[in-house]
Amino acid sequence: MSHDHVDVAIVGGGITGLSAAWYLQQQDLQNGSSSTYAILESGDRWGGKIKTETIDGFADEPFIVEAGPDSFITTKPWAWQLTRELGLQDDVLGTNDAQRKIFVLHKGNPTPLPDGVMLIVPTRFTPFALSPLISPLGKLRMGMDLFIPRRSDGRDETLAEFIQRRLGQEALDKIAEPLMSGIYNAEAEKQSVLATFPRFRDIEAKHGSLIRGMLAAKRGRSKSLSTKGPSTKAASANGQDPSSAARPPSAFVSYRPGMKRLVERLLDDLHGDLRLNTAVSSISRTDDGEYELSIPGGTLRATAVILAVPAYIAADVVEPLAADAAQKLRQIRYVSTGTISIAYRRDEIDHPLDGFGIVIPRSERRRINAITWTSTKFHNRAPNGAVLLRVFFGGSRTPEMFDKTDEELETAVRQELQSLMGIDAEPLFWRIYRWPRANPQYDVDHLQQVEAIETGLPAGLYVSGSPYRGIGIPDCVHQAEQSSALAIQHVSES
């Protein structure tokens, strides 16, 4: 049902916008109120970067191919909480942790990340000492973390500066850059440590050393497990929680039908005014403090507005209302990224696929950024007798690859797979997904910039989602909940 006026207008139909609408409805249930809202999505589908393709015709079971995120992390609790609140526990798919191994490309050879490395810090001496990934001098330099004074001024720094300061250049090159910057498709030399990995600075502040902090965390987990009874341990091992609040089965989870299940379930529950193919060209303020959104064929009035769109789009629509905030929004950089998923017959590949994949340091000068062995990482992603791989390209590390044609990309990727994994077979199929200007970059002092944007916006107008306080699905869900609470509060006070 379409409206000319709503309490809250949500601009953007990705996971942030959909979650914001869901939380508006939840607050209504709690408060006994009845708010009206509209979600305005410029594209022709819901979900933003969450997109799953089901590919049939090669076996009895289909391939499940993700165009965007393939999972979400559960140590940030918000997406897992939403999963439970939506009743999606039976659809949850954990990672295949029996084969949880990550390889780092080292001098052209995939080399296992040593057992016991937590984040980027070794917590087991022998596997780390025997690993060829870091040279003896590099290992000695990492050990100096135990003696280097902590930083106490609280100011931001780049991830590169932090890792070099505490663990040295080799740790940055071989571990932190491909693992940590790879998550954000970022340049470690520009990436804000406070905006992307604040836990590092928290550990440094509390323990004076990353190694001491990780060892303390490891001891804490072991002590917690040892205090549980046998039945509790068994339940935990099976991904079940002996208490009333179910725990996730693994650190990263997806859904059996693919990540699209989260979007579908949200849409099933939403009863507001949902409009596809509805771009907002501008937002103005009326004399009575309401907002007027220009949309195809007319306008929509709203008491509060949540902008869950890329920062550069938000900048265009808020500029007449908040020029300084618009300028700061435009300063948030974006990079373009892509993936190519390739399927093969298992008997035509000699590689054991005994892990989750390969991360590739920038210093290796390859045309791709990483490879996920999707059908090893998750069951149910390829039928029996087949495998599914996913290759990442573009971003800040290989930006030139984003502009290649599909044919050029396929040729380059297959050459890399042959070089790194010995794969010469003909693919069953391949799918390329491109995301232009889709990944915001959290440069140094990013959080200060976000605070300046938020304070520069007029009352009742909010920005939310991946450009601001976390790019992952849990971060976007959390921001959506916070934005919806602010919007409802503004509506109640207007």
Side-chain angles (χ1 to χ4, degrees):
M1 179 178 178
S2 295
H3 298 275
D4 296 323
H5 178 276
V6 292
D7 292 318
V8 182
I10 301 168
V11 184
I15 188 60
T16 305
L18 297 176
S19 299
W22 192 82
Y23 282 116
L24 287 173
Q25 293 181 179
Q26 295 305 110
Q27 290 175 78
D28 279 346
L29 288 174
Q30 294 171 9
N31 301 332
S33 54
S34 180
S35 304
T36 57
Y37 67 85
I39 309 179
L40 310 175
E41 166 57 44
S42 63
D44 60 1
R45 66 173 189 87
W46 303 107
K49 289 193 282 291
I50 296 178
K51 181 180 179 182
T52 306
E53 188 174 357
T54 302
I55 300 176
D56 292 297
F58 296 95
D60 292 339
E61 298 294 325
F63 288 88
I64 306 295
V65 180
E66 299 288 6
D70 69 355
S71 58
F72 62 84
I73 193 168
T74 58
T75 52
K76 292 183 176 183
W78 307 292
W80 175 247
Q81 290 172 356
L82 179 61
T83 294
R84 294 183 58 237
E85 290 165 355
L86 290 169
L88 287 174
Q89 297 96 314
D90 290 344
D91 287 328
V92 166
L93 179 67
T95 51
N96 181 19
D97 284 352
Q99 291 186 276
R100 184 181 183 86
K101 186 186 295 184
I102 297 172
F103 293 82
V104 179
L105 194 65
H106 175 58
K107 298 180 179 178
N109 297 308
T111 303
L113 192 67
D115 289 341
V117 172
M118 296 173 59
L119 292 178
I120 57 170
V121 179
T123 62
R124 293 179 59 192
F125 176 76
T126 301
F128 183 70
L130 296 177
S131 171
L133 187 60
I134 303 292
S135 72
L137 284 177
K139 292 169 184 174
L140 180 62
R141 174 61 184 86
M142 291 180 72
M144 292 298 294
D145 168 72
L146 292 166
F147 309 102
I148 293 172
R150 75 192 78 192
R151 181 169 183 167
S152 57
D153 61 13
R155 294 195 305 180
D156 201 0
E157 62 187 318
T158 68
L159 179 68
E161 289 170 335
F162 178 84
I163 299 300
Q164 288 168 330
R165 178 167 61 81
R166 295 235 56 99
L167 300 171
Q169 181 62 40
E170 272 196 73
L172 172 65
D173 178 44
K174 294 299 181 183
I175 304 178
E177 190 274 329
L179 287 175
M180 306 291 105
S181 291
I183 294 171
Y184 286 84
N185 287 289
E187 299 165 79
E189 295 78 14
K190 296 180 179 180
Q191 182 179 349
S192 162
V193 72
L194 290 182
T196 57
F197 293 101
R199 186 182 175 192
F200 287 157
R201 288 283 290 268
D202 291 342
I203 291 171
E204 180 185 35
K206 182 177 180 179
H207 298 278
S209 157
L210 292 180
I211 295 175
R212 277 197 294 270
M214 288 302 178
L215 288 172
K218 184 179 179 182
R219 287 193 297 270
R221 279 195 294 274
S222 298
K223 182 178 180 181
S224 175
L225 185 60
S226 68
T227 61
K228 297 178 180 179
S231 62
T232 304
K233 291 180 183 179
S236 297
N238 290 320
Q240 303 168 352
D241 188 4
S243 69
S244 58
R247 291 192 182 98
S250 55
F252 289 87
V253 301
S254 184
Y255 306 96
R256 297 184 196 284
M259 288 301 300
K260 68 177 181 180
R261 185 71 184 101
L262 179 59
V263 173
E264 293 170 345
R265 186 67 184 83
L266 282 168
L267 290 170
D268 287 342
D269 267 16
L270 297 181
H271 52 65
D273 181 0
L274 277 58
R275 308 188 197 183
L276 293 172
N277 301 305
T278 306
V280 175
S281 56
S282 65
I283 301 177
S284 58
R285 200 90 185 266
T286 63
D287 293 339
D288 57 359
E290 296 266 294
Y291 290 96
E292 192 168 80
L293 291 75
S294 296
I295 57 177
T299 60
L300 174 70
R301 283 173 61 111
T303 305
V305 178
I306 298 173
L307 296 175
V309 292
Y312 50 86
I313 293 177
D316 290 341
V317 297
V318 307
E319 186 160 28
L321 300 173
D324 288 345
Q327 181 183 13
K328 289 180 172 60
L329 283 164
R330 290 195 180 94
Q331 290 171 355
I332 296 177
R333 295 189 303 116
Y334 278 75
V335 296
S336 301
T337 60
T339 65
I340 175 169
S341 289
I342 308 183
Y344 295 95
R345 293 180 179 86
R346 184 65 183 96
D347 58 10
E348 294 183 355
I349 296 180
D350 293 331
H351 195 283
L353 300 175
D354 52 345
F356 285 5
I358 307 170
V359 296
I360 302 175
R362 190 172 53 191
S363 60
E364 292 286 326
R365 301 186 181 278
R366 291 285 178 163
R367 290 170 290 179
I368 58 176
N369 302 336
I371 308 168
T372 296
W373 302 336
T374 304
S375 50
T376 302
K377 182 178 179 182
F378 289 106
H379 296 305
N380 193 46
R381 289 302 181 250
N384 290 333
V387 299
L388 184 65
L389 309 179
R390 192 184 195 204
V391 178
F392 296 79
F393 62 88
S396 63
R397 304 162 96 207
T398 57
E400 71 284 356
M401 296 301 292
F402 190 84
D403 297 323
K404 300 289 186 184
T405 66
D406 285 359
E407 291 73 19
E408 290 171 334
L409 265 175
E410 187 204 7
T411 298
V413 166
R414 291 182 64 183
Q415 288 172 348
E416 294 289 350
L417 292 177
Q418 196 283 328
S419 173
L420 299 178
M421 299 174 60
I423 297 177
D424 290 316
E426 283 294 318
L428 292 172
F429 67 83
W430 47 283
R431 293 289 189 275
I432 294 175
Y433 304 99
R434 301 173 190 264
W435 298 102
R437 292 188 74 187
N439 286 78
Q441 301 292 283
Y442 287 14
D443 294 341
V444 168
D445 293 327
H446 175 79
L447 294 179
Q448 291 183 15
Q449 186 174 357
V450 171
E451 289 175 4
I453 291 168
E454 292 169 341
T455 57
L457 294 173
L461 181 59
Y462 310 99
V463 292
S464 191
S466 64
Y468 308 110
R469 299 182 183 276
I471 64 169
I473 291 175
D475 302 299
C476 291
V477 169
H478 185 46
Q479 292 177 77
E481 184 176 12
Q482 293 175 315
S483 298
S484 66
L486 291 171
I488 285 295
Q489 181 179 349
H490 177 78
V491 169
S492 66
E493 294 173 351
S494 297

